[in-house]
Amino acid sequence: MEDKKSALIAMSGGVDSSLAAYIMKKEGYRCMGVTMRLYRNNDVGLMDYHTCCSQSDIDDAALVAAQIGIPYEVLNYRADFREQVIEKFVRIYEAGGTPNPCIDCNRYLKFEKLFFYAWEKGLNYIVTGHYARIEKDEVTGRYLLKKAADDSKDQSYVLYSLTQRQLEHIRFPLGNMTKVHTRELADEAGLVTAHKHDSQDICFVPDGDYVRFMEDYRGKTYEAGDFLDMQGNVIGRHKGAVRYTIGQRKGLNLAMGHPVYVVGKDMEKNTVTIGEEKDLYTDVLTAGDVNWISIAELNAPMRITARTRYRQKEESGMVYPLEDGKIRIEFDRPQRAVTAGQAVVMYDGDIVVGGGTIIS
C-alpha cells in the first residue's frame, strides 16, 4: 500500500460509520466509502425493520458519501454472507449451541473481504464506526485492542478475532467518544443519518423469530420432542429443541409449581432437560478457535477477567492452555448459563487479551 493517508470506510448507513467517514475526510485522508450488500430484504423476509445492510441503509450510506464528497461503491457479498454467516448460524443452532453471527460477519466479511478490496484499491486503512480503541504497545511491538471510552457502547467483545496485521491497518475514530457526542457531531456536520435509529442485533432475523427463519431457510419443520427432568424422566413435550436456549425460563409451558429453566439439550435425541436455577451455574469452561491479541500465545496460566456474553459483566478467573490451542477458564465464582457457540473474551483491565468459541 503506497498511500499511507488513505482509507476504505465501511459504511453501514448508520450514524456511527457516517461520522467515522466524515472524521477521516476532515483529517485529510483520501477516502472511499463502501457498503457490503449481504442480502436483499426479500431474501430473508424483511419489511420495515431497523436492520443493518438493508436497501434503505445502502441508500443512506450513498447519501452521506455524496454529502462529504467521497467516492462510494456497493460490494456484493451475498454468497459469502450466506455461506460464512447464515449457514454457520443455522448449523450451530441445529447442533445445540447459540451462535454469534455479528462476530462472524466482522471476522469473515468486514475485516477479511474488505481488507483484500482495500489492498486492491491501494488504500492503507479500513475504517468502521465501532466503539473500541487500538494502540501499539511500544515495549512488545504488538497492537492492542482496547475497550471504548464509553463503557455502555463498548464493542471490543465482537472484535476479538482481529489479527495483528488487521489491527495495524484499522482505525476506529469513535473509540474515545460517547454515543451522545457522536450524534451531536453528526448533527453539527449536517449528516442525514444524525438522528437515525440504531440497527437490530441480528440483521437477517430482525423480528427475533430465528426458528421461523431457520425453517424457511432449511425448508423443514423442527419436530417436537420430550422435556426431561434432571433424572431423565419425561415431564412434558417441547416444540423442537432448536427453539430453546440454555437459561430460558419463559415459553416452556410446564406447570412445575416453581420456576424451571432449560439446563441442557440433546439434539440427536431431540430432548430438552429442565432444572432449577442452581443447575445453570458452572465455574469452568473450555474454548477453542482462540485468537490472541495482547500476547502471541498462552504458555502458562494467566489471571484474566472474561465475558461469556456480549453485554455481560466481566468475571475474574484463571485461563490455562490446553492441547491443540484450546483453553480452559476457571472462574472465581460460578457463571450462569454458559452456552456452547457463544464467544468468551478475556481482558486485562481495558485490554483484550484474546477470545475464542465456547465448546463446553
Side-chain angles (χ1 to χ4, degrees), residues 89-219:
F89 174 87
V90 174
R91 193 170 66 246
I92 289 176
Y93 263 124
E94 289 181 336
T98 303
N100 244 315
C102 295
I103 288 175
D104 290 328
C105 186
N106 281 329
R107 182 176 189 174
Y108 298 115
L109 294 161
K110 201 166 286 180
F111 297 110
E112 186 171 290
K113 295 291 183 186
L114 289 190
F115 259 89
F116 290 126
Y117 188 79
W119 289 330
E120 285 175 7
K121 295 291 183 181
L123 300 168
N124 191 43
Y125 288 104
I126 296 280
V127 177
T128 75
H130 282 102
Y131 288 85
R133 295 175 292 162
I134 298 170
E135 294 177 10
K136 187 174 183 181
D137 185 331
E138 297 302 336
V139 177
T140 65
R142 293 185 72 79
Y143 286 88
L144 304 177
L145 175 65
K146 303 180 76 173
K147 294 178 192 172
D150 181 355
D151 199 48
S152 69
K153 292 300 294 180
D154 173 52
Q155 291 175 294
S156 60
Y157 176 88
V158 297
L159 298 167
Y160 79 84
S161 62
L162 292 174
T163 66
Q164 288 295 302
R165 175 74 170 146
Q166 290 168 338
L167 288 164
E168 183 181 356
H169 293 280
I170 293 173
R171 290 283 303 273
F172 296 136
L174 311 188
N176 287 307
M177 293 187 197
T178 64
K179 184 71 177 209
V180 172
H181 191 206
T182 293
R183 290 203 185 275
E184 287 172 351
L185 291 178
D187 196 33
E188 287 172 15
L191 301 180
V192 295
T193 54
H195 301 289
K196 186 175 177 180
H197 290 294
D198 288 341
S199 61
Q200 302 283 345
D201 277 349
I202 302 178
C203 58
F204 56 93
V205 194
D207 63 357
D209 190 352
Y210 67 89
V211 178
R212 176 204 56 78
F213 170 80
M214 288 167 57
E215 288 182 333
D216 290 347
Y217 181 81
R218 286 285 195 239

